[in-house]
Amino acid sequence: MGQRIHFVVDPQGWCCMGLIIFVWLYNTIFIPKVILFPHYEEGNISIVAVLCYYFCSLFCIASLFRASVADPGKLPENPKIPVTELEHWELCNKCNMMRPKRSHHCSRCGHCVRRMDHHCPWINNCVGEDNHWLFLQLCFYTQILSSYTLILDFCHYYYFLPLKKENWDVFVFRHELALLRISAFMGLIILGGISRLFYTQLMGIFTDTTSIEKMSNCCEDISRPRKPWQQTFSEVFGTHWKILWFIPFRQRQPLRVPYHFANHV
């Protein structure tokens, strides 16, 4: 069964996601054109460096689009609740629907989401049980791509040999300094913000606690892991194969875990 498409009608989210796509397009177009291809042609770098940049760029945009349109764990209108699990469900006081414990009602999306972590305007979607793994991949590959871009910006001026500038009349070479300064500025801003977010997400998985649960202070001993980290990460990514945790081009297969846990909102 394929993954359900989830589209949120939110102009603010569209603007935030459009800004992210603009930054990605800017660096994917100008960094190869100004740095990678010219230095490759002059023998300063290998083709591996060029391919690695496009590889990171592809995985970054793939995880972004998949996280933005993936169903985060929206509950059906009339869920079939097993009798044995009934005690682990509760009534939402906002939409008056039954939901598993640890679910949360998103006021922006207008429905409850299983094990909701937060609503992210940058992907215009909730981060919940079914797309949390894609959001983590997005944070990871954004850090890699931003770091790679900053390293190339630095090496272009302070490490690589100067280019011959045979095409000095071309727009990108006449405005090379401005283009790379903009790239470096955006890279620093995104790397700083996404690194902090990625750290909080990892700590949440290690402690088996969502961001909403931390803010609600409803969890006891949230700094103490309840499960081995391999188990919590496997439940988020839907597989015990660690190499698959880094692949966005696959379908997540939920592990057989109950709806309920020790804590809930």
Side-chain angles (χ1 to χ4, degrees):
M1 181 180 296
Q3 192 174 38
R4 291 185 299 175
I5 301 297
H6 184 261
F7 183 77
V8 180
V9 181
D10 183 7
Q12 179 183 350
W14 295 343
C15 293
C16 291
M17 190 172 175
L19 180 61
I20 296 298
I21 294 175
F22 167 78
V23 174
W24 175 83
L25 279 174
Y26 183 94
N27 287 289
T28 303
I29 293 174
F30 287 114
I31 292 300
K33 191 172 185 62
V34 176
I35 300 178
L36 291 175
F37 290 145
H39 283 287
Y40 168 70
E41 292 173 357
E42 296 188 8
N44 296 331
I45 60 175
S46 68
I47 189 62
V48 176
V50 180
L51 294 177
C52 285
Y53 191 85
Y54 278 111
F55 173 84
C56 294
S57 181
L58 174 63
F59 273 48
C60 182
I61 197 65
S63 56
L64 171 63
F65 277 116
R66 291 208 62 192
S68 64
V69 300
D71 184 355
K74 178 182 178 181
L75 291 169
E77 295 184 0
N78 296 308
K80 295 181 180 180
I81 307 174
V83 177
T84 56
E85 296 286 331
L86 188 59
E87 63 178 306
H88 304 296
W89 288 62
E90 61 188 5
L91 182 67
C92 176
N93 58 6
K94 295 182 179 179
C95 61
N96 295 320
M97 290 178 55
M98 294 298 294
R99 65 184 187 185
K101 292 180 178 181
R102 298 196 78 183
S103 301
H104 186 77
H105 185 91
C106 178
S107 57
R108 188 169 292 273
C109 295
H111 55 73
C112 289
V113 176
R114 295 192 315 274
R115 206 176 188 279
M116 176 179 169
D117 188 84
H118 67 286
H119 182 93
C120 180
W122 302 105
I123 65 172
N124 191 34
N125 199 358
C126 288
V127 177
E129 182 178 312
D130 291 344
N131 71 340
H132 197 175
W133 66 286
L134 290 166
F135 184 75
L136 290 171
Q137 288 183 353
L138 172 62
C139 294
F140 175 76
Y141 286 114
T142 300
Q143 287 184 100
I144 298 297
L145 187 61
S146 299
S147 300
Y148 199 174
T149 299
L150 290 172
I151 292 173
L152 289 174
D153 289 338
F154 176 85
C155 291
H156 179 67
Y157 282 106
Y158 301 104
Y159 182 76
F160 294 147
L161 295 175
L163 296 173
K164 297 178 181 179
K165 305 293 185 180
E166 294 180 353
N167 298 319
W168 185 255
D169 58 326
V170 179
F171 174 84
V172 293
F173 290 104
R174 287 190 287 114
H175 299 85
E176 171 189 322
L177 181 60
L179 292 172
L180 294 185
R181 282 180 175 177
I182 294 174
S183 172
F185 174 77
M186 293 189 298
L188 288 171
I189 295 296
I190 292 180
L191 182 61
I194 207 70
S195 297
R196 182 177 181 275
L197 176 61
F198 189 54
Y199 173 78
T200 59
Q201 289 293 302
L202 291 181
M203 290 300 101
I205 297 178
F206 277 119
T207 58
D208 192 23
T209 309
T210 66
S211 299
I212 293 178
E213 290 170 344
K214 290 180 181 179
M215 292 187 294
S216 300
N217 295 321
C218 68
C219 302
E220 299 178 358
D221 299 326
I222 60 175
S223 61
R224 176 179 58 84
R226 296 176 181 78
K227 307 173 186 177
W229 69 269
Q230 295 95 332
Q231 181 178 350
T232 55
F233 273 83
S234 296
E235 291 175 0
V236 170
F237 286 95
T239 178
H240 293 289
W241 293 89
K242 295 181 178 60
I243 187 63
L244 296 180
W245 295 356
F246 300 91
I247 308 299
F249 308 103
R250 66 179 179 88
Q251 293 294 332
R252 176 181 179 271
Q253 300 296 331
L255 301 180
R256 296 183 63 85
V257 295
Y259 276 116
H260 61 282
F261 295 86
N263 304 320
H264 65 277
V265 176

